[in-house]
Amino acid sequence: LVEEALQEHADVRECIDVLRELQPEDAEFDATVLRMMQLVESHVAAEEDELFPPLEERMPSTLERLAAGRPQLRDAVRD
């Protein structure tokens, strides 16, 4: 799981590097944004489905605090 997460992070960083060199009107801009969004969504889903459940069993109060702040973080990223 850790190796997979590290690769996903590297893939997102690669997309960011590509986007820094592109303009919104460039042909590959939309495809790169879409790929990055898919990578992030997949990564988040994996964390929620695979990583968080075992942690929740071991440390529920910590995860509850993290989850409480998550909607605000999500809204800040979308703005």
Coordinates of all heavy atoms in Angstrom, one line a residue:
L1 N 0.8 -1.2 0.0 CA 0.0 0.0 0.0 C 0.9 1.3 0.0 O 0.6 2.2 -0.7 CB -0.9 0.0 1.2 CG -2.0 1.1 1.3 CD1 -2.9 1.1 0.1 CD2 -2.7 1.0 2.6
V2 N 2.0 1.2 0.7 CA 2.8 2.4 0.8 C 3.5 2.7 -0.5 O 3.6 3.8 -1.0 CB 3.9 2.2 2.0 CG1 4.9 3.3 1.9 CG2 3.2 2.2 3.3
E3 N 4.0 1.6 -1.1 CA 4.7 1.8 -2.4 C 3.7 2.3 -3.5 O 4.1 3.2 -4.3 CB 5.3 0.5 -2.9 CG 6.5 0.0 -2.1 CD 7.1 -1.3 -2.6 OE1 6.8 -1.7 -3.7 OE2 7.8 -1.9 -1.8
E4 N 2.5 1.8 -3.4 CA 1.5 2.3 -4.4 C 1.2 3.8 -4.1 O 1.0 4.5 -5.1 CB 0.2 1.4 -4.2 CG -0.9 1.8 -5.2 CD -2.1 0.9 -5.0 OE1 -2.0 -0.2 -4.5 OE2 -3.2 1.4 -5.3
A5 N 1.0 4.1 -2.9 CA 0.8 5.5 -2.5 C 1.9 6.4 -3.0 O 1.6 7.5 -3.5 CB 0.5 5.7 -1.0
L6 N 3.1 6.0 -2.8 CA 4.3 6.8 -3.2 C 4.3 7.0 -4.7 O 4.6 8.1 -5.2 CB 5.6 6.2 -2.7 CG 5.8 6.2 -1.2 CD1 7.1 5.4 -0.9 CD2 5.9 7.6 -0.7
Q7 N 3.9 5.9 -5.4 CA 3.9 6.0 -6.9 C 2.8 7.0 -7.3 O 2.9 7.8 -8.3 CB 3.7 4.7 -7.5 CG 3.6 4.7 -9.1 CD 4.9 5.3 -9.6 OE1 6.0 4.8 -9.3 NE2 4.8 6.3 -10.5
E8 N 1.6 6.9 -6.7 CA 0.5 7.8 -7.0 C 0.9 9.3 -6.7 O 0.6 10.2 -7.5 CB -0.7 7.4 -6.2 CG -1.3 6.1 -6.6 CD -2.4 5.6 -5.6 OE1 -2.5 6.2 -4.5 OE2 -3.1 4.7 -6.0
H9 N 1.6 9.5 -5.6 CA 2.1 10.9 -5.4 C 3.1 11.3 -6.4 O 3.0 12.5 -6.9 CB 2.8 10.9 -4.0 CG 1.8 10.9 -2.8 ND1 1.9 11.8 -1.8 CD2 0.8 10.1 -2.6 CE1 1.0 11.5 -0.9 NE2 0.3 10.5 -1.4
A10 N 3.9 10.5 -6.9 CA 4.9 10.8 -7.9 C 4.2 11.1 -9.2 O 4.5 12.0 -10.0 CB 5.9 9.7 -8.1
D11 N 3.1 10.3 -9.5 CA 2.3 10.6 -10.8 C 1.6 11.9 -10.7 O 1.6 12.6 -11.7 CB 1.3 9.4 -11.0 CG 2.0 8.1 -11.3 OD1 3.2 8.1 -11.6 OD2 1.3 7.1 -11.1
V12 N 1.1 12.3 -9.6 CA 0.4 13.6 -9.5 C 1.5 14.7 -9.6 O 1.2 15.7 -10.3 CB -0.3 13.7 -8.1 CG1 -0.8 15.1 -7.9 CG2 -1.5 12.7 -8.1
R13 N 2.6 14.5 -9.0 CA 3.7 15.6 -9.1 C 4.1 15.7 -10.6 O 4.3 16.8 -11.0 CB 4.9 15.2 -8.2 CG 4.7 15.6 -6.8 CD 6.0 15.5 -6.0 NE 6.6 14.2 -5.9 CZ 6.2 13.3 -5.0 NH1 5.3 13.6 -4.1 NH2 6.7 12.1 -5.0
E14 N 4.2 14.6 -11.3 CA 4.5 14.7 -12.7 C 3.4 15.5 -13.5 O 3.8 16.3 -14.3 CB 4.6 13.2 -13.3 CG 5.0 13.2 -14.7 CD 5.0 11.8 -15.3 OE1 5.5 10.9 -14.5 OE2 4.6 11.6 -16.4
C15 N 2.2 15.2 -13.2 CA 1.1 16.0 -13.8 C 1.3 17.5 -13.5 O 1.1 18.3 -14.4 CB -0.3 15.5 -13.4 SG -0.8 13.9 -14.0
I16 N 1.6 17.8 -12.3 CA 1.7 19.2 -11.9 C 2.9 19.8 -12.7 O 2.8 20.9 -13.2 CB 1.9 19.3 -10.4 CG1 0.7 19.0 -9.6 CG2 2.4 20.7 -10.0 CD1 0.8 18.8 -8.1
D17 N 4.0 19.1 -12.8 CA 5.1 19.6 -13.5 C 4.8 19.8 -15.0 O 5.2 20.9 -15.6 CB 6.3 18.6 -13.5 CG 6.9 18.5 -12.1 OD1 6.7 19.5 -11.3 OD2 7.6 17.5 -11.8
V18 N 4.0 18.9 -15.6 CA 3.6 19.1 -17.0 C 2.7 20.3 -17.1 O 2.8 21.2 -18.0 CB 2.9 17.8 -17.5 CG1 2.2 18.1 -18.8 CG2 3.9 16.7 -17.6
L19 N 1.7 20.5 -16.2 CA 0.8 21.6 -16.2 C 1.5 22.9 -16.1 O 1.1 23.9 -16.6 CB -0.3 21.5 -15.1 CG -1.3 20.4 -15.4 CD1 -2.2 20.1 -14.1 CD2 -2.2 20.7 -16.6
R20 N 2.6 23.0 -15.3 CA 3.3 24.2 -15.2 C 3.9 24.7 -16.5 O 4.2 25.9 -16.7 CB 4.5 24.0 -14.1 CG 4.0 24.0 -12.7 CD 5.1 23.9 -11.7 NE 4.6 24.1 -10.4 CZ 5.0 23.4 -9.3 NH1 6.0 22.5 -9.5 NH2 4.5 23.6 -8.2
E21 N 4.2 23.8 -17.4 CA 4.7 24.1 -18.7 C 3.7 24.4 -19.7 O 4.0 24.8 -20.8 CB 5.7 23.0 -19.1 CG 6.8 22.7 -18.2 CD 7.7 23.8 -18.0 OE1 8.0 24.5 -19.0 OE2 8.2 24.1 -16.9
L22 N 2.4 24.1 -19.4 CA 1.4 24.2 -20.4 C 0.5 25.5 -20.2 O 0.5 26.0 -19.1 CB 0.4 23.0 -20.4 CG 1.0 21.7 -20.7 CD1 0.0 20.6 -20.5 CD2 1.5 21.6 -22.2
Q23 N -0.2 25.9 -21.2 CA -1.2 26.9 -21.1 C -2.5 26.3 -21.2 O -2.7 25.2 -21.8 CB -1.0 28.0 -22.2 CG 0.3 28.7 -22.2 CD 0.5 29.5 -21.0 OE1 -0.4 30.2 -20.5 NE2 1.7 29.5 -20.4
P24 N -3.6 26.9 -20.6 CA -4.9 26.2 -20.7 C -5.4 25.9 -22.1 O -6.1 25.0 -22.3 CB -5.8 27.3 -20.0 CG -4.9 28.0 -19.1 CD -3.6 28.1 -19.8
E25 N -4.9 26.7 -23.1 CA -5.3 26.4 -24.4 C -4.5 25.3 -25.1 O -4.9 24.9 -26.3 CB -5.3 27.7 -25.3 CG -4.0 28.4 -25.3 CD -3.7 29.4 -24.2 OE1 -4.5 29.5 -23.3 OE2 -2.6 30.0 -24.2
D26 N -3.5 24.8 -24.5 CA -2.7 23.8 -25.1 C -3.5 22.5 -25.2 O -4.3 22.2 -24.3 CB -1.4 23.5 -24.3 CG -0.4 24.6 -24.4 OD1 -0.5 25.4 -25.4 OD2 0.4 24.8 -23.5
A27 N -3.3 21.7 -26.3 CA -4.0 20.5 -26.5 C -4.0 19.5 -25.4 O -5.0 18.9 -25.1 CB -3.5 19.8 -27.8
E28 N -2.9 19.3 -24.7 CA -2.8 18.3 -23.7 C -3.2 18.8 -22.3 O -3.2 18.0 -21.3 CB -1.5 17.6 -23.7 CG -0.3 18.6 -23.3 CD 0.6 18.8 -24.5 OE1 0.2 19.2 -25.6 OE2 1.8 18.7 -24.2
F29 N -3.5 20.1 -22.2 CA -3.8 20.6 -20.9 C -5.0 19.9 -20.2 O -4.9 19.4 -19.1 CB -4.1 22.1 -21.0 CG -4.3 22.8 -19.7 CD1 -3.2 23.3 -19.0 CD2 -5.6 23.0 -19.1 CE1 -3.4 24.0 -17.7 CE2 -5.7 23.6 -17.9 CZ -4.6 24.1 -17.2
D30 N -6.2 19.9 -20.9 CA -7.4 19.2 -20.4 C -7.1 17.8 -20.0 O -7.6 17.3 -18.9 CB -8.5 19.4 -21.3 CG -9.1 20.8 -21.4 OD1 -8.7 21.6 -20.6 OD2 -9.9 21.0 -22.3
A31 N -6.4 17.0 -20.9 CA -6.2 15.6 -20.6 C -5.3 15.5 -19.4 O -5.5 14.5 -18.6 CB -5.5 15.0 -21.8
T32 N -4.3 16.4 -19.2 CA -3.4 16.3 -18.0 C -4.2 16.6 -16.7 O -4.0 15.9 -15.7 CB -2.2 17.2 -18.2 OG1 -1.6 16.9 -19.4 CG2 -1.3 17.1 -17.1
V33 N -5.1 17.6 -16.8 CA -5.9 17.9 -15.6 C -6.8 16.7 -15.3 O -6.9 16.4 -14.1 CB -6.7 19.2 -15.8 CG1 -7.7 19.4 -14.7 CG2 -5.8 20.4 -15.9
L34 N -7.4 16.2 -16.3 CA -8.3 15.0 -16.1 C -7.5 13.9 -15.5 O -8.0 13.2 -14.5 CB -9.0 14.6 -17.4 CG -9.9 13.5 -17.3 CD1 -11.1 13.8 -16.3 CD2 -10.5 13.1 -18.7
R35 N -6.4 13.6 -16.0 CA -5.5 12.5 -15.4 C -5.2 12.7 -14.0 O -5.3 11.8 -13.1 CB -4.3 12.3 -16.3 CG -3.4 11.2 -15.8 CD -2.2 11.0 -16.7 NE -1.2 10.0 -16.5 CZ -0.7 9.4 -15.4 NH1 -1.2 9.8 -14.3 NH2 0.2 8.5 -15.4
M36 N -4.8 14.0 -13.7 CA -4.5 14.3 -12.3 C -5.7 14.2 -11.4 O -5.5 13.6 -10.3 CB -3.9 15.7 -12.2 CG -3.4 16.1 -10.8 SD -2.6 17.7 -10.7 CE -3.9 18.8 -11.0
M37 N -6.8 14.6 -11.8 CA -8.0 14.5 -11.0 C -8.3 13.0 -10.8 O -8.7 12.6 -9.7 CB -9.2 15.1 -11.7 CG -9.1 16.6 -11.7 SD -10.4 17.4 -12.7 CE -11.9 16.7 -12.1
Q38 N -8.2 12.1 -11.8 CA -8.4 10.7 -11.6 C -7.5 10.1 -10.7 O -7.8 9.3 -9.8 CB -8.4 10.0 -13.0 CG -9.5 10.4 -13.9 CD -9.3 9.9 -15.3 OE1 -8.2 9.7 -15.8 NE2 -10.4 9.8 -16.1
L39 N -6.2 10.5 -10.8 CA -5.2 10.0 -9.8 C -5.5 10.3 -8.4 O -5.4 9.5 -7.5 CB -3.8 10.5 -10.2 CG -3.2 9.9 -11.5 CD1 -2.0 10.8 -11.9 CD2 -2.8 8.5 -11.3
V40 N -5.9 11.6 -8.2 CA -6.2 12.0 -6.8 C -7.5 11.3 -6.3 O -7.5 10.9 -5.2 CB -6.4 13.6 -6.8 CG1 -6.9 14.0 -5.4 CG2 -5.0 14.3 -7.1
E41 N -8.5 11.2 -7.1 CA -9.7 10.6 -6.7 C -9.5 9.1 -6.4 O -10.0 8.6 -5.4 CB -10.8 10.7 -7.8 CG -11.4 12.1 -7.9 CD -12.3 12.3 -9.0 OE1 -12.5 11.3 -9.8 OE2 -12.9 13.4 -9.2
S42 N -8.7 8.4 -7.2 CA -8.3 7.0 -6.9 C -7.5 6.9 -5.6 O -7.8 6.0 -4.8 CB -7.5 6.5 -8.1 OG -7.0 5.2 -7.8
H43 N -6.6 7.8 -5.4 CA -5.8 7.8 -4.2 C -6.6 8.0 -3.0 O -6.5 7.2 -2.0 CB -4.7 8.8 -4.3 CG -3.8 8.9 -3.1 ND1 -2.8 7.9 -2.9 CD2 -3.7 9.7 -2.1 CE1 -2.2 8.2 -1.8 NE2 -2.7 9.3 -1.3
V44 N -7.5 8.9 -3.0 CA -8.4 9.2 -1.9 C -9.3 8.0 -1.6 O -9.5 7.6 -0.4 CB -9.2 10.5 -2.1 CG1 -10.3 10.7 -1.1 CG2 -8.3 11.7 -2.1
A45 N -9.9 7.5 -2.7 CA -10.7 6.3 -2.5 C -10.0 5.1 -1.8 O -10.5 4.5 -0.9 CB -11.3 5.9 -3.8
A46 N -8.7 4.9 -2.3 CA -7.9 3.8 -1.7 C -7.7 4.1 -0.2 O -7.7 3.1 0.6 CB -6.6 3.7 -2.5
E47 N -7.4 5.3 0.1 CA -7.1 5.6 1.5 C -8.4 5.4 2.3 O -8.3 4.8 3.4 CB -6.6 7.1 1.7 CG -5.2 7.3 1.2 CD -4.8 8.7 1.5 OE1 -5.6 9.6 1.7 OE2 -3.5 8.9 1.4
E48 N -9.5 5.8 1.8 CA -10.8 5.7 2.6 C -11.2 4.2 2.7 O -11.7 3.8 3.7 CB -11.9 6.5 1.9 CG -11.7 8.0 2.1 CD -12.7 8.8 1.3 OE1 -13.4 8.3 0.4 OE2 -12.8 10.0 1.6
D49 N -10.9 3.4 1.7 CA -11.4 2.1 1.7 C -10.4 1.1 2.3 O -10.8 0.1 2.9 CB -11.7 1.6 0.2 CG -12.8 2.4 -0.4 OD1 -13.6 3.0 0.3 OD2 -12.9 2.3 -1.7
E50 N -9.1 1.4 2.1 CA -8.1 0.4 2.6 C -7.3 0.8 3.8 O -7.0 0.0 4.7 CB -7.1 0.1 1.4 CG -7.8 -0.5 0.2 CD -6.9 -0.6 -1.0 OE1 -5.6 -0.6 -0.8 OE2 -7.4 -0.5 -2.1
L51 N -7.0 2.1 3.9 CA -6.1 2.6 4.9 C -6.9 3.0 6.2 O -6.5 2.6 7.3 CB -5.3 3.8 4.4 CG -4.3 4.4 5.4 CD1 -3.2 3.3 5.8 CD2 -3.6 5.6 4.7
F52 N -7.9 3.8 6.0 CA -8.6 4.3 7.1 C -9.4 3.3 8.0 O -9.4 3.4 9.2 CB -9.6 5.4 6.7 CG -8.9 6.7 6.3 CD1 -9.5 7.7 5.6 CD2 -7.5 6.9 6.6 CE1 -8.9 8.8 5.2 CE2 -6.9 8.1 6.2 CZ -7.6 9.0 5.5
P53 N -10.0 2.3 7.4 CA -10.8 1.3 8.3 C -9.9 0.7 9.4 O -10.3 0.6 10.5 CB -11.4 0.3 7.3 CG -11.6 1.1 6.0 CD -10.4 2.0 6.0
P54 N -8.7 0.1 9.0 CA -7.9 -0.5 10.1 C -7.5 0.6 11.1 O -7.4 0.3 12.3 CB -6.7 -1.1 9.4 CG -7.1 -1.2 7.9 CD -8.1 -0.1 7.7
L55 N -7.1 1.8 10.6 CA -6.7 2.8 11.6 C -7.9 3.2 12.5 O -7.7 3.5 13.7 CB -6.2 4.0 10.8 CG -4.9 3.9 10.1 CD1 -4.6 5.1 9.3 CD2 -3.8 3.6 11.1
E56 N -9.1 3.3 11.9 CA -10.2 3.7 12.7 C -10.4 2.7 13.9 O -10.8 3.1 14.9 CB -11.5 3.7 11.8 CG -12.7 4.3 12.5 CD -13.8 4.5 11.5 OE1 -14.0 3.7 10.6 OE2 -14.5 5.5 11.7
E57 N -10.2 1.4 13.6 CA -10.3 0.4 14.7 C -9.3 0.7 15.8 O -9.6 0.5 17.0 CB -10.1 -1.0 14.2 CG -11.2 -1.4 13.2 CD -10.9 -2.8 12.6 OE1 -10.0 -3.5 13.1 OE2 -11.6 -3.1 11.7
R58 N -8.1 1.2 15.4 CA -7.1 1.4 16.4 C -7.1 2.8 17.1 O -6.7 2.9 18.2 CB -5.7 1.2 15.8 CG -5.5 -0.2 15.3 CD -4.1 -0.4 14.7 NE -3.9 -1.8 14.3 CZ -3.9 -2.1 13.0 NH1 -4.0 -1.2 12.0 NH2 -3.8 -3.4 12.7
M59 N -7.6 3.8 16.3 CA -7.5 5.1 16.9 C -8.7 5.9 16.4 O -8.6 6.9 15.7 CB -6.2 5.8 16.5 CG -5.5 5.3 15.3 SD -3.8 5.9 15.0 CE -4.0 7.6 14.8
P60 N -9.9 5.6 16.9 CA -11.1 6.3 16.4 C -11.2 7.8 16.6 O -11.6 8.5 15.8 CB -12.3 5.5 17.0 CG -11.7 4.8 18.2 CD -10.2 4.6 17.8
S61 N -10.8 8.2 17.8 CA -10.9 9.6 18.1 C -10.0 10.5 17.2 O -10.4 11.6 16.8 CB -10.6 9.9 19.6 OG -9.2 9.6 19.9
T62 N -8.8 10.0 16.9 CA -7.9 10.8 16.0 C -8.6 10.9 14.6 O -8.6 12.0 14.0 CB -6.6 10.1 15.9 OG1 -6.0 10.0 17.2 CG2 -5.6 10.9 15.0
L63 N -9.1 9.8 14.1 CA -9.7 9.9 12.8 C -10.9 10.7 12.7 O -11.2 11.3 11.7 CB -9.9 8.4 12.3 CG -8.7 7.7 11.9 CD1 -9.0 6.2 11.5 CD2 -7.9 8.3 10.8
E64 N -11.7 10.7 13.8 CA -12.9 11.6 13.9 C -12.5 13.0 13.8 O -13.1 13.8 13.1 CB -13.7 11.3 15.2 CG -14.4 10.0 15.1 CD -15.0 9.7 16.5 OE1 -15.1 10.6 17.3 OE2 -15.4 8.5 16.7
R65 N -11.4 13.4 14.4 CA -10.9 14.8 14.3 C -10.5 15.1 12.9 O -10.7 16.2 12.4 CB -9.8 15.1 15.3 CG -10.3 15.2 16.8 CD -9.2 15.8 17.7 NE -7.9 15.2 17.5 CZ -7.4 14.2 18.2 NH1 -8.1 13.6 19.1 NH2 -6.1 13.8 17.9
L66 N -9.8 14.2 12.3 CA -9.3 14.4 10.9 C -10.5 14.5 10.0 O -10.5 15.4 9.1 CB -8.4 13.3 10.4 CG -7.0 13.2 11.1 CD1 -6.3 11.9 10.7 CD2 -6.2 14.4 10.7
A67 N -11.5 13.7 10.1 CA -12.7 13.7 9.2 C -13.4 15.0 9.4 O -14.0 15.5 8.5 CB -13.5 12.5 9.5
A68 N -13.5 15.5 10.6 CA -14.2 16.7 10.9 C -13.7 17.9 10.1 O -14.4 18.8 9.7 CB -14.2 17.0 12.4
G69 N -12.4 18.0 9.9 CA -11.7 19.1 9.2 C -11.7 18.9 7.7 O -11.5 19.8 7.0
R70 N -12.0 17.7 7.3 CA -11.9 17.4 5.8 C -12.9 18.2 4.9 O -12.4 18.6 3.9 CB -12.1 15.9 5.6 CG -11.8 15.4 4.3 CD -11.6 13.9 4.3 NE -11.3 13.6 2.9 CZ -11.9 12.6 2.3 NH1 -12.7 11.8 2.9 NH2 -11.7 12.4 1.0
P71 N -14.1 18.3 5.3 CA -15.0 19.1 4.3 C -14.5 20.5 4.1 O -14.6 21.1 3.0 CB -16.3 19.1 5.1 CG -16.3 17.9 5.9 CD -14.9 17.8 6.4
Q72 N -13.9 21.2 5.1 CA -13.4 22.5 5.0 C -12.2 22.5 4.0 O -12.1 23.4 3.2 CB -13.0 23.1 6.3 CG -14.2 23.3 7.2 CD -13.9 22.9 8.7 OE1 -12.8 22.4 9.0 NE2 -14.8 23.2 9.6
L73 N -11.4 21.5 4.2 CA -10.2 21.4 3.3 C -10.7 21.2 1.9 O -10.2 21.8 0.9 CB -9.3 20.2 3.8 CG -8.1 19.9 2.9 CD1 -7.2 21.2 2.9 CD2 -7.3 18.7 3.4
R74 N -11.6 20.3 1.7 CA -12.1 20.0 0.3 C -12.7 21.2 -0.3 O -12.5 21.5 -1.5 CB -13.2 18.9 0.4 CG -13.6 18.4 -0.9 CD -14.7 17.3 -0.9 NE -14.3 16.3 0.1 CZ -15.1 15.5 0.7 NH1 -16.4 15.6 0.5 NH2 -14.7 14.6 1.6
D75 N -13.5 22.0 0.5 CA -14.1 23.3 0.0 C -13.0 24.3 -0.4 O -13.1 25.0 -1.4 CB -15.0 23.9 1.0 CG -16.3 23.0 1.2 OD1 -16.5 22.2 0.3 OD2 -17.0 23.3 2.2
A76 N -11.9 24.3 0.4 CA -10.8 25.3 0.1 C -10.1 24.9 -1.2 O -9.7 25.8 -1.9 CB -9.8 25.3 1.3
V77 N -9.9 23.6 -1.4 CA -9.3 23.2 -2.6 C -10.1 23.5 -3.8 O -9.6 23.9 -4.9 CB -8.9 21.7 -2.5 CG1 -8.4 21.2 -3.8 CG2 -7.9 21.5 -1.4
R78 N -11.4 23.3 -3.7 CA -12.3 23.6 -4.9 C -12.5 25.0 -5.3 O -12.8 25.3 -6.4 CB -13.7 23.0 -4.6 CG -13.7 21.5 -4.6 CD -15.0 20.9 -4.4 NE -15.0 19.5 -4.4 CZ -15.9 18.7 -4.0 NH1 -17.0 19.2 -3.5 NH2 -15.8 17.4 -4.0
D79 N -12.3 25.9 -4.3 CA -12.4 27.4 -4.6 C -11.4 27.9 -5.5 O -10.4 27.6 -5.8 CB -12.5 28.2 -3.3 CG -13.8 27.9 -2.6 OD1 -14.7 27.4 -3.2 OD2 -13.9 28.3 -1.4

